[in-house]
Amino acid sequence: MALIVTVIVLLLALALLSAGMFVFVFVRRPVPTYDTPEALDASRWRDYRDPLYGGICWLRDRNPETVTVESFDGLRLSGRFIPRDHARGALILLHGYRSSPEIDVTAGLSQYYAMGLSLLICDQRAHGASEGRLITMGIKERYDAVAWAEYLARRLGRETPIYFGGISMGATTALMASDLPMEANLRGVIADCGFTSPGDIIRYLMKRHYRLPPKPLAALLNLSCRLFGGFGLDQWSTVRSMERVRVPVLFFHGEADHFVPQEMTEAAYAACVSPKRLLTFPGAGHGLSFMADRQRYVAALRQFIDETIGGHHGTLGT
């Protein structure tokens, strides 16, 4: 009898641990907007206040149109669209995990716009103005990216060149979406410091940042992901998508990134079967390659767009 009680208590403890980890990692929580100089000064982004706030003001001044699409599972997803006269194409921008476009993408908006691109700045599911209770780290978000691409194709014309651009989880989303069937004219992907899969990044962070045994805890967490989230930690990966991708990919990663290791971008790059290029940035932390060397970053991006927008790959490697 005592043994039975002990086993039941242990199983309940494991179930609670699994559910608790699931809530901690995947359930939606409010994300600060950091949309004023004061908020930025009081945050960990204080050293980048000027370019971030400049990008936020640029976005506001363009009076973007709020647009929505419905996800494959019935969520209302929200984005902001900035059309450009005589645009060469359109760029879909995807922010990272528990972050926002204001932090992750606005600093570069004026540069992308100057390249002749209309801009669609998306709130990922379970973030910002988009609906959703659960973050799935790219597993379901990849289908959201396709929905946005097809929205632009319907609105701008199916011949319009479209690009995915993402940072951190946004990069993972973009890479995982790139091999999916779509009616949009996808011409390329820009992936900045993406992780390979939810399972890989969770096991990495458990070991490096929390000093926890990654394999048994991730396996336990995966049970709740399957039960409550309808996805698996290792259900898909950027590596598997890159083994099937048919559009060029530009990879960025900071060499001082201690949140997503550079090796994850290198693994996706190595697996990529389409024309590709990888740039790393010495001294750049997570998501900070643009801040570390804006001139080199923008030059590489402009060259990538110029070489791929017409369907030709120029001097991109393979």
Side-chain angles (χ1 to χ4, degrees):
M1 182 66 180
L3 179 60
I4 294 175
V5 171
T6 300
V7 170
I8 291 173
V9 170
L10 178 59
L11 290 175
L12 286 173
L14 291 174
L16 287 172
L17 176 59
S18 177
M21 288 190 296
F22 178 79
V23 170
F24 178 76
V25 176
F26 295 110
V27 172
R28 179 177 192 148
R29 295 201 298 267
V31 175
T33 54
Y34 302 121
D35 58 356
T36 67
E38 294 76 19
L40 288 166
D41 282 339
S43 75
R44 61 193 178 98
W45 307 106
R46 63 180 65 88
D47 292 341
Y48 310 102
R49 183 193 69 174
D50 290 345
L52 288 174
Y53 190 64
I56 290 167
C57 291
W58 187 91
L59 176 60
R60 287 175 180 164
D61 290 344
R62 295 303 174 284
N63 191 26
E65 176 190 354
T66 298
V67 295
T68 61
V69 296
E70 183 174 332
S71 72
F72 73 96
D73 52 352
L75 300 177
R76 181 178 176 273
L77 305 175
S78 181
R80 285 166 284 181
F81 183 56
I82 304 175
R84 193 186 193 283
D85 291 339
H86 311 295
R88 304 166 68 198
L91 173 62
I92 298 170
L93 290 161
L94 303 164
H95 64 78
Y97 172 81
R98 297 204 193 282
S99 190
S100 67
E102 281 72 19
I103 290 298
D104 286 349
V105 306
T106 52
L109 291 180
S110 63
Q111 303 281 353
Y112 311 143
Y113 191 79
M115 295 175 197
L117 301 173
S118 296
L119 306 176
L120 177 57
I121 303 138
C122 302
D123 286 343
Q124 296 229 58
R125 62 170 56 211
H127 292 81
S130 288
E131 293 180 346
R133 185 177 64 90
L134 298 179
I135 304 165
T136 69
M137 293 188 172
I139 300 298
K140 296 184 180 181
E141 288 84 353
R142 58 185 167 148
Y143 299 104
D144 301 340
V146 171
W148 282 119
E150 294 189 333
Y151 165 81
L152 286 183
R154 292 191 300 271
R155 176 166 178 166
L156 304 177
R158 298 197 181 277
E159 75 286 351
T160 301
I162 290 174
Y163 292 85
F164 289 139
I167 187 165
S168 191
M169 187 184 80
T172 298
T173 299
L175 291 171
M176 287 184 178
S178 63
D179 68 313
L180 292 173
M182 67 185 80
E183 296 181 22
N185 181 17
L186 186 67
R187 288 290 177 84
V189 177
I190 301 125
D192 189 332
C193 64
F195 49 84
T196 45
S197 73
D200 287 343
I201 191 60
I202 286 170
R203 285 185 289 267
Y204 172 81
L205 293 173
M206 282 179 173
K207 181 178 181 180
R208 178 181 175 88
H209 290 266
Y210 298 102
R211 302 294 190 266
L212 296 171
K215 289 186 178 180
L217 287 180
L220 193 60
L221 174 59
N222 193 49
L223 293 177
S224 284
C225 290
R226 292 288 187 183
L227 182 61
F228 302 120
F231 69 97
L233 293 180
D234 297 297
Q235 180 175 331
W236 199 253
S237 73
T238 61
V239 170
R240 292 176 69 184
S241 287
M242 292 300 93
E243 293 171 345
R244 300 153 37 128
V245 71
R246 292 293 179 265
V247 297
V249 184
L250 176 61
F251 296 90
F252 294 120
H253 212 107
E255 295 179 14
D257 190 335
H258 301 303
F259 187 76
V260 176
Q262 185 177 321
E263 289 78 9
M264 291 194 181
T265 285
E266 290 172 346
Y269 175 80
C272 183
V273 295
S274 64
K276 58 190 176 181
R277 182 174 294 145
L278 167 62
L279 280 78
T280 63
F281 292 77
H286 184 60
L288 295 174
S289 294
F290 178 86
M291 302 294 189
D293 192 342
R294 182 180 306 191
Q295 183 175 358
R296 180 170 173 243
Y297 193 106
V298 171
L301 184 55
R302 180 180 294 111
Q303 182 180 4
F304 181 75
I305 298 297
D306 288 345
E307 291 179 350
T308 60
I309 203 160
H312 305 291
H313 302 153
T315 58
L316 281 174
T318 57

